[in-house]
């Protein structure tokens, strides 16, 4: 496994084998020049038995590192195919690099006595290929760490337990020592795994009979587990009931998770009208807030910027919370309206400093370095300049 270890020195081997197919492809492309260079530099009589030996060792190591959670029972064929590709690439990397590198170094040393200029050129190429095989996978893995961290945080914020579990698992494989809220990510993964198992057991105890007093709890559990089809089956009979406003609101949420933005906009619009007809209801304000938030996001994704901004403004007028101010700040940041983005980010940090000070500062710092409106941000942040 020497070659595989060299090619992925900053990472754990387990992360390379099981986290994502795109990381394998990046790693494979990065080490291909080194593998081909090694093969061409070796005497032919060394190649055959080294090839079989290290390929078998790579296969055994891949099988030993296999984790039960890698294979999904819901989509076993797809996951099995992915595992086959992963193990195949692991074999290629270990078999081609691991068997060749030590012999290659000896061959370079031997050639240096015969042709010093050729040896220098070969050593230079070897150094370049080794650097590429190490640095490129490392940079890509850091990108994946940031991506998994962001997705994990978003899933936790939206109580998507199953999604958070998957991202925590992959994040911990890429960065075994990573922490979130002062605890190791692997600890969160284990806790989330237990929560998912408990939710599935609870759903199985409900049985096939749908009791009216259990529908809300069952829908919520399916949403935690990202079992959207099951949740929709329970929601559909409620769309014309006395709970229609909440049902349409939840239906809009599920459609957004599925990427059905147009249908989601329709669902949230219906929910908003129903909530507005219940002005005296204690849930009406919270319901309208949820509907406006969903409408704004759907309008933004569809590309209707002005309507999205209007929905966000109505959301702020109805519920001027730190979370909603930060949503509007992110909207303005995406549209490169830096001064307004800074205003609402600062407001969010002022309303909830523990939760939004750091995200708001990161957003402002990002705008300073990436937007042409950075001068206005700098000017607005000067002492004596009001953001209100």
């Amino acid at each position: 496994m020497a070659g595989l270890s060299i090619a992925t020195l900053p990472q754990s081997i387990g992360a390379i084998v099981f986290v994502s197919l795109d990381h394998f492809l990046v790693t494979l492309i990065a080490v291909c020049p080194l593998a081909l260079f090694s093969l061409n530099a070796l005497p032919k009589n060394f190649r055959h038995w080294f090839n079989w030996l290290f390929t078998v060792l790579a296969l055994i190591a891949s099988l030993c590192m296999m984790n039960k959670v890698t294979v999904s029972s819901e989509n076993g064929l797809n996951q099995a195919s992915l595992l086959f590709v992963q193990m195949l690439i692991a074999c290629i990397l270990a078999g081609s690099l691991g068997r060749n590198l030590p012999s290659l170094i000896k061959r370079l040393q031997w050639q240096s006595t015969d042709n010093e200029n050729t040896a220098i050129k070969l050593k230079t190429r070897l150094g370049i290929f080794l650097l590429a095989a190490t640095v490129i996978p490392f940079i890509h893995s850091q990108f994946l760490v940031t991506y998994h961290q962001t997705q994990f945080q978003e899933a936790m914020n939206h109580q998507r337990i199953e999604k958070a579990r998957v991202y925590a698992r992959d994040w911990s494989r890429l960065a075994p020592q990573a922490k979130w809220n002062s605890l190791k990510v692997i600890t969160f993964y284990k806790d989330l795994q237990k929560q998912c198992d408990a939710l599935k057991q609870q759903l199985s105890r409900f049985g096939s009979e749908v009791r009216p007093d259990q529908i809300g709890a069952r829908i919520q559990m399916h949403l935690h587990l990202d079992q959207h089809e099951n949740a929709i089956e329970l929601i559909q009979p409620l769309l014309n009931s006395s709970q229609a406003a909440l049902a349409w609101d939840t239906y809009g949420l599920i459609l957004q998770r599925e990427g059905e933005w147009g249908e989601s906009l329709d669902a949230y619009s219906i929910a908003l009208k129903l909530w507005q007809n219940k002005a005296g209801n204690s849930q009406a304000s919270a319901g309208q807030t949820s509907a406006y938030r969903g409408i704004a996001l759907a309008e933004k994704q569809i590309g209707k910027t002005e309507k999205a901004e209007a929905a966000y403004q109505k959301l702020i007028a109805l519920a001027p919370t730190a979370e909603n101010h930060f949503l509007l700040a992110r909207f303005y940041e995406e549209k490169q309206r830096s001064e307004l983005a800074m205003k609402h980010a600062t407001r969010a940090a002022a309303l909830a400093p523990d939760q939004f000070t750091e995200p708001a500062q990161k957003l402002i710092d990002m705008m300073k370095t990436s937007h042409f409106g950075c001068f206005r941000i700098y000017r607005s942040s000067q002492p004596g300049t009001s953001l209100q």
Side-chain angles (χ1 to χ4, degrees):
M1 299 294 290
L4 184 59
S5 300
I6 289 174
T8 60
L9 188 60
Q11 281 62 252
S12 65
I13 297 176
I16 281 294
V17 176
F18 293 117
V19 171
S20 65
L21 180 59
D22 66 319
H23 193 31
F24 272 103
L25 295 177
V26 169
T27 304
L28 180 61
I29 292 171
V31 300
C32 269
L34 181 61
L36 295 174
F37 178 72
S38 303
L39 285 171
N40 292 331
L42 275 178
K44 292 182 179 180
N45 59 339
F46 279 100
R47 298 178 187 179
H48 183 70
W49 68 276
F50 268 109
N51 180 32
W52 283 105
L53 174 63
F54 281 93
T55 300
V56 170
L57 289 176
L59 180 60
I60 293 173
S62 298
L63 291 172
C64 291
M65 287 185 289
M66 196 178 299
N67 192 317
K68 291 182 180 179
V69 299
T70 306
V71 180
S72 170
S73 59
E74 297 178 0
N75 197 1
L77 181 61
N78 182 54
Q79 291 297 324
S81 301
L82 180 60
L83 279 177
F84 175 78
V85 174
Q86 290 172 338
M87 287 187 293
L88 179 61
I89 296 175
C91 292
I92 293 173
L93 295 180
S96 61
L97 293 181
R99 73 178 190 270
N100 293 321
L101 195 58
S103 299
L104 175 61
I105 294 174
K106 291 181 180 179
R107 184 170 175 79
L108 291 177
Q109 291 174 347
W110 171 77
Q111 285 187 352
S112 65
T113 60
D114 184 43
N115 191 332
E116 185 174 353
N117 291 330
T118 301
I120 292 175
K121 291 180 180 179
L122 289 174
K123 289 179 180 179
T124 302
R125 291 177 185 175
L126 176 62
I128 294 173
F129 293 152
L130 279 173
L131 185 63
T134 304
V135 173
I136 294 176
F138 172 74
I139 293 174
H140 188 254
S141 72
Q142 298 311 302
F143 165 78
L144 287 179
V145 166
T146 302
Y147 172 76
H148 282 82
Q149 179 182 0
T150 302
Q151 294 297 315
F152 171 75
Q153 292 174 340
E154 183 178 344
M156 292 291 287
N157 291 337
H158 292 89
Q159 298 182 352
R160 300 180 68 174
I161 298 176
E162 171 62 19
K163 184 178 179 181
R165 180 193 70 82
V166 172
Y167 281 110
R169 179 197 66 193
D170 293 346
W171 183 12
S172 65
R173 286 173 174 169
L174 282 164
Q177 302 302 318
K179 292 185 177 181
W180 191 69
N181 288 349
S182 303
L183 291 176
K184 283 190 175 181
V185 176
I186 187 64
T187 302
F188 281 101
Y189 164 68
K190 293 177 180 178
D191 290 341
L192 291 168
Q193 180 68 59
K194 292 178 181 178
Q195 292 182 44
C196 288
D197 292 340
L199 288 170
K200 292 175 182 178
Q201 291 176 4
Q202 182 62 39
L203 285 169
S204 64
R205 284 196 290 267
F206 282 139
S208 58
E209 182 182 357
V210 180
R211 291 170 45 184
D213 60 328
Q214 296 176 347
I215 292 179
R218 293 179 67 166
I219 291 173
Q220 200 64 38
M221 290 180 185
H222 285 306
L223 291 177
H224 288 324
L225 294 171
D226 274 9
Q227 297 174 351
H228 298 150
E229 292 183 3
N230 301 77
I232 290 175
E233 288 180 5
L234 296 171
I235 288 172
Q236 285 179 335
L238 303 176
L239 296 178
N240 294 314
S241 68
S242 59
Q243 299 178 325
L246 182 59
W248 279 106
D249 191 275
T250 306
Y251 188 42
L253 171 64
I254 295 174
L255 290 170
Q256 285 196 349
R257 289 185 178 183
E258 295 289 330
E260 302 291 343
W261 298 107
E263 292 82 352
S264 171
L265 177 59
D266 294 338
Y268 272 119
S269 298
I270 295 172
L272 178 61
K273 292 179 181 178
L274 293 172
W275 286 121
Q276 288 173 339
N277 292 334
K278 296 183 177 183
N281 191 301
S282 59
Q283 293 182 326
S285 179
Q288 291 182 57
T289 299
S290 176
Y292 275 124
R293 189 182 294 122
I295 289 171
L297 179 58
E299 296 280 19
K300 183 184 74 171
Q301 293 295 333
I302 292 172
K304 298 179 179 179
T305 303
E306 293 182 0
K307 290 185 177 181
E309 182 179 5
Y312 277 121
Q313 293 290 356
K314 291 177 181 178
L315 174 64
I316 292 293
L318 183 64
T321 63
E323 180 182 3
N324 292 335
H325 274 287
F326 193 70
L327 285 175
L328 186 52
R330 290 176 61 181
F331 169 78
Y332 282 132
E333 184 274 329
E334 291 177 9
K335 303 307 175 184
Q336 297 194 8
R337 299 172 66 179
S338 305
E339 198 165 359
L340 287 172
M342 178 182 176
K343 173 183 176 179
H344 288 282
T346 305
R347 184 59 179 162
L351 290 171
D354 293 340
Q355 184 179 0
F356 286 104
T357 296
E358 183 177 352
Q361 189 59 51
K362 286 182 178 179
L363 188 69
I364 292 171
D365 291 342
M366 181 174 64
M367 289 188 294
K368 287 181 178 179
T369 58
S370 63
H371 288 178
F372 288 106
C374 59
F375 175 73
R376 285 185 295 172
I377 293 178
Y378 173 77
R379 183 182 61 189
S380 296
S381 63
Q382 297 307 299
T385 303
S386 174
L387 296 176
Q388 301 300 323

